[in-house]
Amino acid sequence: MNDIESLLRDVLAERAGDVEPDPDLARRARDAARRPAGGDGRVRWGLVALTTAAAVTAVVVAVHGLTDGSATPVPAAPTSSLPSTSGRVRLVTPTAVPAPSQISLTAGGPTASPGHPAGCTTFATASVSPAEPPPTLTTDGAVTTPPLASPSASGDGRPGDPYAWIALSPPPSVIAVMSDLDQVLDGVRFAGWSVDRTGRSVTVHVVEGPSAAAAEAVARSCARADAPIHLQRVARSRDQLTGLQQGLGASLPASLAGMVDPSLTSLDVERNRLVVPLDGTLTAAMKRDLWARYGDAVEVWLAGPRTLAEPAPAWANA
Amino acid sequence: MRGEDVTFDELVRERGAAWLRLAYLLTGDRHLAEDLLQTALVQVYRRWSAVERADQPDAYVRRVLVNTVISWRRRRSWWERPTASGALPDTARAPGDAVPAGVGDVADGLAARDALWQLLKRLPPRGRAVLVLRFYEDLDDPTIAALLGVAPGTVRATASRALATLRAELAVTGSGGVR
């Protein structure tokens, strides 16, 4: 009679032994990760930091005029939709439920200050190959919808999902743009960025508000010839969603607190909401309570096979 | 090996095989393991300054890798629930089948190993990760907790639940005398 732990050790060691070394891994990883100018695969962070510091110093006065307004919590308008049959339960707008005016989104955090209000023009030239043509933009900066031209209809490779784009091996210029955006975007005027299903363009999610136009200009400056940037306006900033995420444990109703592990929540940048996995079964009352508290800032994902068979609650179709 | 002493390429060349084995044990699928490892390495590359400052760049990468796998499996598991049944894939023999004399112990052992591997793949992502890190990587609970970003008590509880699940499922399948 074997103890399961020793059997487990044996099985894991045996299965691990089946894995052949991948001699191509280093090259593929390097190709996928390398910036256009990264000769030996090492990022010149020192150069980036120096350029960044100079840019921040030059434009620090302008920062104050760009951060107003958008930090105010702005819950999105409720949308009506039926629960999906793919295992996802989407909170929908019940007519008998109060509007989500009680939503509490706490702004703040270390990313609240824009580090590069002037955008990539303050430093991008240091990392762009001289051979590259000037950046162009494929959108006019208005509210746009990210292109979803993927032939995939499986539902699991959504835009913004790193697994989706990595499987498509985005070109180095797109990876470079993503890296630039990480430095340029702040948590107040932006919700983040996502890569489309083709891996060939990036969508920047800009918070609607007085600073939106300036924020879009910042994002637009990061586009490159073969790495276009699309713009999409959203209701909530990254800091707001992060604040909601951090305070979720305290703000959840008691009936749901035991069903949620706050450490498993995640931000869905593309859909501008916090994804909260739940272990258990939601009653209609719980769903109403969730909607009343968070509106569509929170999306609940139910784990467990019973999700598929769960009928749409009556209040969802009212 | 400190991060500042090694380049990204050198680190991948030196530790890539071990990471791939870990990714495979975490996913149960070779191709998925390669893809997720590459995803993790892209993130590592983009945060290379942090890796360079790390005393143990290998541990840093493993942390990114494990969390990449858990995140992917978690997301996928909520998108897709293809079956609600507890049916296992085929094993070496069906429970109760007659076994030729003299090969019963061997068959039991193979069936138990195969069943355990299949069951491991069906565990929740964090439970599977805890077991792999504990029983393959031989990490202690505090190290696993730091790697997963959870409390040590959570690691112990997760491991306990996962092992209990495996014991119960193996008992149901009749795949060998495992306690």
Side-chain angles (χ1 to χ4, degrees):
Chain A
M1 179 174 286
N2 297 316
D3 179 82
I4 194 167
E5 294 184 7
S6 62
L7 182 61
L8 195 51
R9 287 183 192 279
D10 291 345
V11 169
L12 291 172
E14 182 180 286
R15 296 288 176 167
D18 292 342
V19 180
E20 297 289 332
D22 181 0
D24 206 30
L25 176 63
R27 185 193 61 77
R28 283 190 292 105
R30 187 175 60 246
D31 289 349
R34 184 160 52 188
R35 293 165 63 92
D40 62 354
R42 183 186 289 272
V43 181
R44 269 63 173 183
W45 291 111
L47 178 60
V48 171
L50 281 175
T51 313
T52 299
V56 170
T57 303
V59 296
V60 67
V61 176
V63 171
H64 301 290
L66 298 175
T67 57
D68 58 336
S70 60
T72 304
V74 183
T79 55
S80 295
S81 57
L82 293 175
S84 161
T85 56
S86 63
R88 163 178 296 204
V89 171
R90 186 175 301 166
L91 294 177
V92 297
T93 308
T95 55
V97 169
S101 56
Q102 299 95 323
I103 185 170
S104 173
L105 296 175
T106 306
T111 62
S113 299
H116 298 276
C120 290
T121 54
T122 60
F123 66 92
T125 51
S127 58
V128 176
S129 166
E132 288 189 15
T136 59
L137 187 68
T138 60
T139 71
D140 59 5
V143 179
T144 58
T145 302
L148 300 177
S150 167
S152 169
S154 63
D156 59 341
R158 299 183 305 125
D161 184 338
Y163 179 68
W165 61 258
I166 197 62
L168 291 160
S169 298
S173 57
V174 172
I175 294 175
V177 165
M178 294 187 300
S179 181
D180 289 347
L181 288 172
D182 275 346
Q183 299 176 66
V184 168
L185 303 192
D186 57 76
V188 174
R189 295 177 298 165
F190 299 93
W193 53 262
S194 58
V195 181
D196 75 22
R197 289 187 178 188
T198 68
R200 303 291 166 175
S201 67
V202 178
T203 297
V204 175
H205 305 271
V206 180
V207 177
E208 189 74 69
S211 302
E216 287 177 343
V218 169
R220 196 181 297 126
S221 71
C222 296
R224 300 187 180 203
D226 51 352
I229 285 180
H230 304 274
L231 301 169
Q232 184 172 44
R233 293 200 179 184
V234 296
R236 290 168 287 269
S237 72
R238 183 172 185 82
D239 281 4
Q240 288 174 320
L241 288 175
T242 303
L244 176 61
Q245 184 178 33
Q246 292 169 347
L248 189 67
S251 67
L252 275 172
S255 61
L256 287 164
M259 298 165 63
V260 176
D261 181 348
S263 69
L264 295 180
T265 61
S266 59
L267 301 186
D268 187 333
V269 172
E270 186 213 4
R271 303 179 70 232
N272 195 225
R273 57 188 59 176
L274 180 66
V275 176
V276 178
L278 285 178
D279 279 322
T281 304
L282 279 182
T283 65
M286 289 175 175
K287 291 175 181 175
R288 279 195 294 270
D289 196 1
L290 276 172
W291 176 262
R293 286 171 188 259
Y294 305 113
D296 70 351
V298 163
E299 182 169 296
V300 176
W301 287 8
L302 293 180
R306 74 184 61 184
T307 302
L308 276 181
E310 183 174 292
W315 56 266
N317 299 316
Chain B
M1 178 166 54
R2 286 180 56 83
E4 61 192 12
D5 300 327
V6 63
T7 67
F8 175 82
D9 288 3
E10 291 168 347
L11 188 61
V12 173
R13 274 197 296 271
E14 183 167 322
R15 299 295 303 155
W19 296 334
L20 184 57
R21 286 194 292 271
L22 175 59
Y24 174 65
L25 294 179
L26 291 171
T27 61
D29 182 283
R30 168 64 189 263
H31 298 296
L32 179 58
E34 290 178 353
D35 286 340
L36 293 182
L37 175 55
Q38 187 170 318
T39 299
L41 289 177
V42 169
Q43 295 181 47
V44 167
Y45 184 86
R46 294 174 58 211
R47 301 170 191 161
W48 186 246
S49 60
V51 181
E52 284 185 309
R53 291 194 300 270
D55 285 334
Q56 297 178 313
D58 176 60
Y60 185 100
V61 177
R62 278 193 300 180
R63 176 173 185 154
V64 174
L65 172 61
V66 170
N67 285 293
T68 299
V69 172
I70 289 176
S71 176
W72 184 88
R73 290 197 70 213
R74 187 193 313 148
R75 175 169 293 183
R76 187 178 180 87
S77 68
W78 280 303
W79 274 84
E80 295 182 5
R81 286 282 171 183
T83 176
S85 75
L88 281 173
D90 291 341
T91 54
R93 66 184 176 87
D97 280 0
V99 181
V103 299
D105 290 344
V106 175
D108 277 346
L110 292 175
R113 286 166 180 261
D114 186 57
L116 186 58
W117 175 245
Q118 300 300 334
L119 288 171
L120 196 62
K121 288 198 281 190
R122 293 174 51 215
L123 286 178
R126 192 157 72 180
R128 180 187 177 111
V130 166
L131 294 187
V132 169
L133 294 171
R134 180 188 275 189
F135 296 113
Y136 175 70
E137 295 276 329
D138 280 329
L139 301 181
D140 56 26
D141 288 350
T143 305
I144 296 173
L147 200 146
L148 296 177
V150 299
T154 303
V155 171
R156 285 191 291 275
T158 303
S160 177
R161 278 198 300 269
L163 287 171
T165 299
L166 293 180
R167 286 193 184 95
E169 293 284 349
L170 279 175
V172 169
T173 63
S175 298
V178 180
R179 56 181 160 83

